[in-house]
């Protein structure tokens, strides 16, 4: 199990004096399910890029199993970590070819099994199975189907650490429920970081970090954060009221 730590990290993009992240501290122990919560623009996705080593902090450290991420070869990092974002790429080609990007040695049985996990097996059976051809940017799939196929590929990668960055944004309700169930199941055997703006996605996590304007403003389990009656509790009540309003409107 991999642990990962963000220690006193501040970050700004090249050519800008504006800090996107300010004195961030996040501690994810191996095997934990940690959620990073916040509204759009608070710095969550930038934090994901630091976790993966795509960006380098101006100050502070990103540590993986106690090692500075900058000292770990890219190939080794990519082997141990998988990022699933809201903008995953599927290339023009067969379903088989896209899945094999996750594990080039995967057998047909393994490929079909992972399609079953993401509830795409029956759909592709009505097409041409693993040899179903995808259009450019998988335009012949729905948004939810694309995301589930990307997650199937990620599962084949079988890394120690998974980061889901708004992986359920802008997809259908059925796909969202399938993906959230997969994330929770994966968290039983892997280290999982889920980055989201939706409170419904964080209830089962071991630790929640709430972000606002590039800072971690609260952390703890859901019950602890609700008891604090702070920003998390306010967000909880607001989203609860909005959901109730939608139900009544229907």
């Amino acid at each position: 199990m991999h642990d990962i730590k963000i220690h006193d990290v501040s970050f700004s993009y090249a050519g800008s004096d504006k800090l996107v992240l300010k004195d961030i501290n996040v501690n994810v122990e191996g095997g934990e399910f940690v959620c990073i919560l916040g509204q759009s623009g608070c710095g969550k996705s930038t934090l994901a890029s630091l976790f993966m080593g795509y960006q380098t902090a101006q100050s502070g450290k990103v540590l993986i199993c106690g090692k500075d991420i900058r000292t770990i070869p890219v190939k080794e990092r990519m082997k141990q970590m998988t990022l699933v974002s809201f903008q995953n790429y599927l290339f023009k080609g067969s379903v088989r070819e896209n899945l094999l990007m996750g594990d080039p040695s995967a057998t047909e049985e393994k490929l079909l099994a992972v399609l079953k996990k993401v509830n795409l097996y029956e759909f592709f059976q009505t097409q041409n199975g693993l040899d179903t051809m995808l259009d450019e940017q998988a335009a012949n799939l729905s948004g939810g189907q694309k995301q589930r196929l990307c997650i199937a590929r990620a599962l084949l990668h079988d890394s120690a650490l998974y980061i889901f960055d708004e992986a359920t944004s802008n997809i259908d309700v059925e796909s969202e429920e399938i993906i959230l169930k997969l994330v929770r199941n994966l968290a039983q055997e892997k280290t999982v970081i889920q980055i989201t703006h939706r409170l419904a996605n964080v209830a089962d996590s071991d630790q929640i970090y709430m972000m606002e304007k590039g800072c971690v403003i609260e952390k703890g389990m859901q019950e602890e954060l609700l008891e604090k009656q702070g920003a998390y509790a306010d967000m909880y009540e607001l989203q609860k009221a909005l959901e109730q309003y939608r139900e009544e409107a229907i």
Side-chain angles (χ1 to χ4, degrees):
M1 295 292 189
H2 273 45
D3 59 74
I4 186 165
K5 293 178 173 62
I6 298 279
H7 181 66
D8 290 339
V9 161
S10 293
F11 175 82
S12 61
Y13 287 101
S16 173
D17 294 329
K18 182 182 178 182
L19 286 176
V20 180
L21 298 174
K22 308 164 193 173
D23 300 322
I24 295 285
N25 285 281
V26 175
N27 184 22
V28 182
E29 297 292 339
E32 277 192 329
F33 178 28
V34 171
C35 286
I36 297 170
L37 176 72
Q39 300 291 358
S40 178
C42 72
K44 303 189 304 296
S45 291
T46 302
L47 190 58
S49 70
L50 288 173
F51 277 130
M52 293 296 297
Y54 297 158
Q55 303 282 355
T56 303
Q58 279 79 15
S59 63
K61 290 182 179 180
V62 180
L63 304 173
I64 299 175
C65 296
K67 296 180 182 178
D68 191 314
I69 195 169
R70 293 169 295 186
T71 69
I72 303 173
V74 173
K75 188 175 181 180
E76 182 63 22
R77 289 206 313 265
M78 295 304 101
K79 183 180 177 182
Q80 299 298 330
M81 305 164 70
T82 301
L83 172 65
V84 179
S85 76
F86 55 92
Q87 289 181 319
N88 290 296
Y89 180 73
L90 292 166
F91 61 85
K92 187 176 181 180
S94 69
V95 169
R96 184 193 307 274
E97 289 168 328
N98 275 274
L99 287 176
L100 287 173
M101 295 290 289
D103 178 7
S105 66
T107 62
E108 181 149 338
E109 183 181 12
K110 192 172 182 180
L111 297 180
L112 292 173
V114 80
L115 286 181
K116 289 177 181 178
K117 276 189 176 181
V118 298
N119 281 34
L120 283 176
Y121 174 80
E122 291 183 4
F123 170 74
F124 284 124
Q125 287 300 103
T126 67
Q127 308 296 307
N128 198 25
L130 289 168
D131 296 316
T132 302
M133 297 302 293
L134 302 183
D135 294 342
E136 194 74 39
Q137 297 182 356
N140 53 328
L141 299 182
S142 71
Q145 288 170 333
K146 289 181 195 178
Q147 190 68 324
R148 282 186 275 153
L149 187 56
C150 286
I151 289 176
R153 182 175 61 194
L155 293 175
L156 285 166
H157 190 228
D158 195 27
S159 60
L161 170 67
Y162 281 84
I163 300 172
F164 293 88
D165 182 11
E166 295 286 12
T168 60
S169 292
N170 301 318
I171 60 174
D172 59 276
V173 174
E174 180 187 0
S175 290
E176 180 180 23
E177 290 175 353
I178 291 167
I179 291 170
L180 288 176
K181 184 178 179 181
L182 281 166
V183 170
R184 293 185 184 109
N185 288 341
L186 191 63
Q188 300 300 313
E189 53 188 80
K190 304 284 188 179
T191 307
V192 173
I193 299 171
Q194 182 170 227
I195 296 170
T196 182
H197 67 281
R198 294 196 58 192
L199 288 170
N201 300 351
V202 308
D204 298 330
S205 57
D206 298 309
Q207 190 82 255
I208 300 166
Y209 288 82
M210 184 161 181
M211 292 185 66
E212 187 177 286
K213 296 179 181 179
C215 299
V216 173
I217 58 170
E218 291 182 345
K219 68 175 182 177
M221 295 182 68
Q222 186 177 60
E223 296 80 5
E224 297 170 335
L225 295 177
L226 288 174
E227 286 176 6
K228 286 181 180 178
Q229 291 296 301
Y232 181 90
D234 291 342
M235 191 176 181
Y236 180 89
E237 291 301 326
L238 177 61
Q239 290 194 14
K240 187 177 178 182
L242 285 172
E243 287 172 7
Q244 186 173 352
Y245 173 77
R246 290 192 191 106
E247 289 175 2
E248 291 174 353
I250 294 170

